[in-house]
Amino acid sequence: MVRMILSPPFLPARPSQSETAWLDAAMAQPTSRLSSTNAAEGSFPLSLQLAWHNGIHLQAPQAAGAYLPVRAIADGTVVFVHPPTVPDNDVHHALNYNPFNAGTPSPAWTSDGFVVIEHKGEIGAAGAVATEFVYYSACMHLGSLASHPRTRRPLKAGDFVYRKEALGTPGQIYGHDGQIHFEICCDEANLEKLTTRKRNWADPLAPQPPTANGRTDAVFGSLYIYLPAGTPTRSSQPTSHLRSAVHTGGAASAATDFFLPDTLRAAQWVQITYEHGSAILASYDKLGAPIGQPRNDSRYDYITVATMRPGASQSFEYDLSAVANDRHGTLDVATQATSSPSGWYELLRFGRNLGPDALPANAAHWRKVVTPDGGLWVDLNAPGTFKFSDADFPAITGWNCFDDDTTQTDQRCDSLRMKTLIRDPDRTNDRRMERAQLARRLGEPEVRHKLRRTICKFPSEWDQKDVEKRYGWLETEDFKSTDDDATGVQKWERFVKHAKAVTFPDLPEAFLKADWRFHPREFVGHMRQCGWLSCEEMKQIYKRDSANNAPVFLAIEKYQLALNRMTQKYLLNTRKRLPHIFGQGATESNFLKTMQETAMTGIAVNGEVHGTSGIHPQSKADESSFGHWWGLNPNERVDWHGSRKYNSNGGLISSSYNWRMGNLGNPDAQKFRGRGFKQLTGRDNYVQYWVYRGWLAASSFDKHWWSDPQYMARNAQGMRKIPGVVDNPEIVGTQPYNCMDAGGWYMVFQRSDVIREIDSDLDHLAAGAHEQSQETATSRAVTRAINGGELGWDKRLENTRAAKKILLDS
C-alpha cells in the first residue's frame, strides 16, 4: 500500500511552536560531542574518525519524567526486527563498549534492538500515473520492542504498521540513556524517482545554469526561479502584464559587459515561499549566497488603490485571487479570449501555468524582487527563466549527490567531493585536506549546515558480513597509531567484537541495496512539505463502518488525483487547512460519493407541471445522466420570467432559496443546484466560476445578462462561450478535475476570509475547554462560509476531527 504522510520518530507536544522548532525538538541530537571534532555524537554523514555514518543519533524527548516511545514515521511494512539484548554490567560483554575510552573496558551499554520498515510513498502524478517511490527507515538501539497494536504480539517481519504507532522505547548508546540511531535510505532507482537527480553531482563552486524547467509531476514547498542576466526589470510597477515585443530579455552579454537598459546585469535566483498567508521572496546569487534581506510581498504592491481593502498588507498569499483577477482584468477584450484568471493564478502560484486553463503566451510575471541594485520589478516569466520547486531537490539550495568514494566497500570516507565540501576555506592552509583537520571541521556550524542536504552512497554499517574488512583501516590508523602493538591489538579485537554484536548477518537484500542515504531530520522536514495524499491515506480519513466503505473507496480512487491537484493548486494542503477541507467535503459530497445535489421534480409554473431533471446513478459516466438545462425540451416553458413565480409544490414564491445567489426561480435552482466537492450552488457562483476558468468572457455581459429569458436559445452578440461547457452546468459535477477545482476556487476566491480563520485553528486535536472552544468556533465559521448556515455542522466537526487524527501529529 502506497502512503506519504510523514512525521518524526518522536512526537512531543506542540503548544505553539513553528514547524522548524517542533521538528528540531522532536529530532534533537545528543548534547555530547566528539572530542576530536566537536560534532554531536552520531552525526550524518560522517562521524568518529571521518567514517561514514548511516544516520543520526537522537535524544528522546521526555513527558512526565519518561522518555517518549519511538514511533513509525510513515505507514509501512516491517521487514526486519531484532529484539534487544537484556543489559549486562559485565565490562567484557560485547555491548559494553566505550569508544571514547577504548583502552580500559567500562560498562557503557549499547542497546541492540533494531526495526527496519519499508515505506511506499506517493508525491504526485504525471497525468493519471502516480509518482511513487520506495524508501526505508531504520531505528537502532531500541531498549524494548512494542507489541503490534492489532495482533498484540511482538513486532515481527511482515507486520504492517501505521504512522505514529509505537515501535518500542529508546535504549542506550555507549551508556547514554534515551537515545536511538535513526536513518533514511533508498536505492538508486528510487532516488531518481524521488529527486529526478539521476545521482548527478553539481559543482557548488561552478554551477551550471539550468536549461529547462523542473518537474511537474510533483510540485511542493518553495518555488525557485532562475533569472538569467538580461531579464527585464522596472524601477516602478509595470502598467502592462504582457511582455513587450521589443523588451523580451536575454540580450545581455557578460563578455562585452553590454546590457540593455532595465535588465539584470547578473544571473540570480528568486525563492518564493507561500506560508500562513504570506509570500516571502528571497534572492540568491548563482552560488546560492543571499542577496539582501528577504521581503514579504504585500497586496499594496500589486493591487490598484480602488480595489484595496484595509488590513491586507503582508498577506499576499490570501490575496492571490484578487491579484489574478486584477491581471486578467487589465487585458483588452481580444486578449482576454486567450486568457483566464485561473491561468494567472497558476502563474502567481507556481511561477508557470500547470493546469488546463488559458494564459497568454506573452504573459509577464512581474514581482518586486531584491537584486544587487536594490528592489526592482522583475519579470519572472521572461524568456530564459526557469522554474523549480522543492520537489526538484534543487542544487541551489544545497542538495547534492555524493558517490565518488574511491572504495565503496568500507566505512571510511574517501570522497574527494565530500572532503572539498567540508575543508577549511582558507586556501593558504596547505594541510586543509588532511584527515585530522577535516574531522575537526565537522563541528563547525556552517559545515553541519551544508551536510544536512548531502545525499550519500556508501555501504550499511549494520551488515555483519566483512566487518573486519570494512573497518580494517581503523586498525592501522587509530588503534595502532599511538599504541604499542599489543595494546593496539586488544583495542582492535574489542572493537570487532562490539561491531559484530551490533550488526546482523541476515538483513534483507533490498535494504542493503538501499545505499543512498539522507540526513533524517532534513528528509522528514523536506518531505512534510509535500502534502500529496495517496488513495490509502484518503481511505483512512474517510473510513467508517465496513458496510459503507466500498462505495467510498471507489469514489476515492476516482477523485484522488484531482483532489490532490486542487489542494496543491489552492495552497489548501497545509496541516491546518487540509483537515477542514476533508471534513467539510465529507458532508458536502457524502464522502465523495455524490457530486450533485438531488434536483427538484415536478416544478409547477402558473399551475402547470413541467418536466423533471432529477439525480441519476453516479455510476453512469456520461454527462446525460445528470439531466439537462431547464427549458431545452419542448414541454419546458421558458417564459416564466414574466409570470408569477410558484415553488415545486404549487405555492406562490415571494422570497426563497430559489431567488438567492442570482437564481431566478425554481428552474434556476435546479439548473444551478450544488455540484462538485464543495457543492457549487447558484447562478452567480456558476457564472463567476465559468469566467474564472476562461469558459465565458466577463467583458461581454453585465451583471444582469442572465435575466434574458431567451439567452439559451440565442448567443448574445459578442458572447464567448465554450460549447458543451457553458451550455452544460453539469460539467462541474461530472469531470473529476472540475468537481475538485470548483471547490478550491470557491474557498479561495469567494471565501478567502475563512482561510485566515482556519490558519488560526489548533495544530492538535481538541483537549481542554479552551482548545475545544477554539476548534468549535473555527469549524462553525468554515461551515457558515461553505453552507451559508450551520446545516450539518455537528457532522462536519466530527469529520474534521476524524481527518485530524490521520493528518496531524498528535
Side-chain angles (χ1 to χ4, degrees):
M1 290 185 283
V2 179
R3 321 285 175 128
M4 189 55 238
I5 310 175
L6 200 66
S7 57
F10 295 110
L11 297 175
R14 183 175 184 167
S16 58
Q17 293 171 297
S18 68
E19 172 81 350
T20 297
W22 181 74
L23 284 174
D24 286 344
M27 300 183 70
Q29 288 195 250
T31 56
S32 50
R33 294 290 186 266
L34 298 173
S35 59
S36 59
T37 67
N38 199 35
E41 292 180 13
S43 293
F44 177 89
L46 304 173
S47 190
L48 189 65
Q49 302 299 330
L50 216 65
W52 291 116
H53 187 241
N54 288 20
I56 57 176
H57 292 179
L58 298 179
Q59 184 67 54
Q62 292 187 343
Y67 291 115
L68 295 182
V70 182
R71 300 183 181 275
I73 66 165
D75 298 353
T77 302
V78 176
V79 295
F80 186 80
V81 174
H82 183 271
T85 302
V86 177
D88 190 326
N89 286 327
D90 180 2
V91 295
H92 298 293
H93 194 291
L95 293 175
N96 266 328
Y97 177 76
N98 188 346
F100 312 114
N101 187 20
T104 304
S106 57
W109 187 260
T110 294
S111 305
D112 59 343
F114 194 34
V115 174
V116 181
I117 302 176
E118 179 185 83
H119 308 279
K120 296 181 179 180
E122 185 176 310
I123 59 173
V129 180
T131 301
E132 301 175 357
F133 72 104
V134 177
Y135 66 104
Y136 296 87
S137 67
C139 296
M140 175 59 170
H141 307 311
L142 296 174
S144 68
L145 293 182
S147 295
H148 191 276
R150 286 168 293 284
T151 67
R152 302 300 179 186
R153 295 190 294 270
L155 278 176
K156 68 180 188 307
D159 284 342
F160 189 86
V161 292
Y162 289 99
R163 183 178 72 100
K164 301 188 289 187
E165 288 184 340
L167 303 178
T169 59
Q172 293 179 292
I173 303 179
Y174 304 135
H176 301 152
D177 289 328
Q179 293 185 2
I180 64 167
H181 165 104
F182 177 62
E183 65 184 71
I184 300 284
C185 59
C186 69
D187 64 19
E188 188 166 311
N190 285 286
L191 174 71
E192 183 173 342
K193 292 178 183 178
L194 175 61
T195 68
T196 69
R197 292 295 297 271
K198 298 182 180 179
R199 64 189 280 182
N200 292 339
W201 179 77
D203 187 346
L205 301 180
Q208 297 300 306
T211 57
N213 287 322
R215 68 196 302 178
T216 58
D217 62 322
V219 178
F220 61 77
S222 295
L223 307 176
Y224 302 90
I225 303 178
Y226 173 76
L227 308 175
T231 300
T233 65
R234 297 287 188 273
S235 57
S236 59
Q237 182 175 358
T239 57
S240 172
H241 296 292
L242 298 179
R243 191 176 310 113
S244 169
V246 297
H247 198 156
T248 58
S253 171
T256 62
D257 196 33
F258 171 76
F259 297 89
L260 291 175
D262 296 327
T263 59
L264 289 179
R265 296 181 61 84
Q268 71 170 78
W269 289 81
V270 173
Q271 176 186 8
I272 304 177
T273 305
Y274 292 110
E275 186 176 60
H276 305 307
S278 297
I280 301 171
L281 276 72
S283 296
Y284 303 91
D285 66 19
K286 64 180 182 180
L287 297 179
I291 301 173
Q293 295 297 315
R295 64 174 305 276
N296 197 336
D297 257 359
S298 166
R299 179 176 179 168
Y300 293 116
D301 293 325
Y302 298 94
I303 300 296
T304 57
V305 174
T307 58
M308 284 185 188
R309 59 181 172 77
S313 61
Q314 308 302 305
S315 60
F316 186 72
E317 188 234 307
Y318 294 134
D319 299 317
L320 277 179
S321 57
V323 180
N325 284 333
D326 187 73
R327 296 196 176 188
H328 173 77
T330 63
L331 307 177
D332 58 40
V333 173
T335 308
Q336 282 192 5
T338 65
S339 177
S340 68
S342 175
W344 286 99
Y345 181 87
E346 293 214 355
L347 182 65
L348 294 164
R349 165 69 182 92
F350 297 118
R352 47 191 160 152
N353 187 3
L354 301 180
D357 299 326
L359 182 71
N362 59 337
H365 182 188
W366 292 106
R367 298 291 280 268
K368 202 171 184 180
V369 171
V370 176
T371 75
D373 296 323
L376 293 173
W377 290 82
V378 180
D379 180 7
L380 306 187
N381 198 38
T385 61
F386 295 104
K387 294 85 179 180
F388 305 85
S389 79
D390 276 316
D392 295 290
F393 290 75
I396 190 64
T397 65
W399 288 106
N400 222 339
C401 295
F402 294 79
D403 66 344
D404 64 318
D405 191 314
T406 55
T407 60
Q408 290 290 329
T409 57
D410 63 29
Q411 304 301 136
R412 183 174 77 166
C413 173
D414 287 313
S415 164
L416 178 60
R417 292 169 179 169
M418 179 60 67
K419 294 176 181 179
T420 302
L421 180 74
I422 65 178
R423 69 183 178 186
D424 185 350
D426 182 4
R427 296 185 178 184
T428 65
N429 180 0
D430 56 6
R431 302 181 61 187
R432 61 180 179 158
M433 293 296 284
E434 293 180 2
R435 295 186 66 84
Q437 289 213 12
L438 289 168
R440 284 194 291 271
R441 291 279 298 163
L442 296 180
E444 298 296 328
E446 68 270 21
V447 173
R448 295 202 302 272
H449 177 74
K450 290 178 181 179
L451 292 176
R452 286 174 67 116
R453 293 198 163 183
T454 58
I455 309 172
C456 304
K457 182 179 182 180
F458 55 87
S460 173
E461 63 184 278
W462 309 121
D463 188 5
Q464 196 176 90
K465 299 187 294 291
D466 301 328
V467 164
E468 293 96 332
K469 179 180 178 181
R470 286 188 292 109
Y471 289 98
W473 53 279
L474 282 175
E475 183 179 11
T476 55
E477 293 188 16
D478 185 30
F479 298 119
K480 290 185 179 179
S481 58
T482 58
D483 300 314
D484 58 75
D485 288 346
T487 303
V489 167
Q490 289 179 352
K491 288 183 178 180
W492 169 246
E493 290 177 347
R494 280 196 292 269
F495 169 79
V496 171
K497 183 180 179 182
H498 173 72
K500 289 186 175 181
V502 293
T503 55
F504 311 95
D506 52 349
L507 291 170
E509 190 65 22
F511 175 59
L512 292 177
K513 289 182 177 179
D515 52 5
W516 282 95
R517 311 184 190 283
F518 295 83
H519 188 293
R521 163 64 181 84
E522 196 68 17
F523 181 89
V524 170
H526 190 77
M527 297 308 297
R528 277 169 65 88
Q529 301 176 95
C530 178
W532 184 279
L533 301 183
S534 68
C535 275
E536 298 302 324
E537 288 163 335
M538 289 186 183
K539 288 175 183 178
Q540 284 188 59
I541 295 171
Y542 278 169
K543 184 176 182 179
R544 293 298 183 267
D545 59 272
S546 58
N548 293 325
N549 281 338
V552 172
F553 289 179
L554 285 174
I556 288 172
E557 291 170 4
K558 178 178 180 179
Y559 293 108
Q560 179 241 348
L561 298 183
L563 180 49
N564 274 308
R565 288 187 170 113
M566 179 269 284
T567 61
Q568 178 188 79
K569 173 178 177 178
Y570 294 104
L571 289 158
L572 298 174
N573 56 358
T574 69
R575 68 176 183 276
K576 288 189 176 183
R577 299 174 186 179
L578 203 52
H580 288 278
I581 298 305
F582 272 93
Q584 295 286 336
T587 301
E588 291 285 309
S589 68
N590 191 20
F591 298 93
L592 297 176
K593 292 184 295 183
T594 303
M595 290 298 166
Q596 178 169 278
E597 288 179 338
T598 302
M600 295 172 291
T601 60
I603 296 179
V605 177
N606 290 340
E608 181 179 332
V609 177
H610 295 258
T612 66
S613 184
I615 194 166
H616 294 260
Q618 286 282 312
S619 60
K620 293 185 179 181
D622 62 305
E623 294 172 9
S624 64
S625 67
F626 285 94
H628 56 270
W629 277 71
W630 182 269
L632 293 183
N633 286 350
N635 65 327
E636 295 174 347
R637 297 168 59 95
V638 294
D639 59 353
W640 60 271
H641 293 276
S643 65
R644 301 181 71 184
K645 313 301 185 295
Y646 296 85
N647 63 24
S648 59
N649 295 320
L652 183 67
I653 296 173
S654 57
S655 175
S656 76
Y657 166 83
N658 304 321
W659 293 88
R660 289 185 287 122
M661 296 178 288
N663 288 340
L664 297 174
N666 260 346
D668 271 5
Q670 175 166 275
K671 295 178 195 175
F672 303 109
R673 61 185 181 269
R675 293 186 179 93
F677 186 50
K678 287 289 183 292
Q679 297 292 289
L680 188 68
T681 307
R683 187 189 283 259
D684 277 355
N685 283 324
Y686 272 81
V687 169
Q688 291 180 64
Y689 182 63
W690 290 336
V691 171
Y692 165 72
R693 294 291 303 276
W695 297 344
L696 193 65
S699 59
S700 59
F701 61 85
D702 62 27
K703 65 181 180 179
H704 299 299
W705 72 270
W706 51 78
S707 64
D708 182 353
Q710 301 299 319
Y711 170 72
M712 291 310 301
R714 67 173 178 83
N715 286 331
Q717 188 174 4
M719 180 70 73
R720 177 171 63 87
K721 299 194 307 174
I722 309 298
V725 176
V726 176
D727 290 346
N728 266 320
E730 291 89 353
I731 200 170
V732 173
T734 57
Q735 296 187 3
Y737 181 89
N738 299 335
C739 289
M740 297 301 146
D741 189 78
W745 167 81
Y746 185 77
M747 290 291 292
V748 171
F749 278 71
Q750 303 295 83
R751 293 292 183 265
S752 60
D753 284 346
V754 80
I755 303 299
R756 301 169 188 258
E757 183 84 20
I758 290 174
D759 284 348
S760 68
D761 194 16
L762 304 176
D763 273 345
H764 49 82
L765 298 174
H770 173 71
E771 289 81 5
Q772 290 179 356
S773 175
Q774 182 178 350
E775 183 188 48
T776 297
T778 301
S779 180
R780 286 184 184 276
V782 179
T783 300
R784 286 192 295 268
I786 292 174
N787 178 253
E790 294 186 5
L791 183 64
W793 166 75
D794 53 342
K795 282 295 183 182
R796 295 171 191 260
L797 176 59
E798 178 185 326
N799 293 330
T800 299
R801 285 177 169 170
K804 285 185 176 183
K805 289 179 180 179
I806 302 301
L807 295 170
L808 300 188
D809 299 304
S810 301

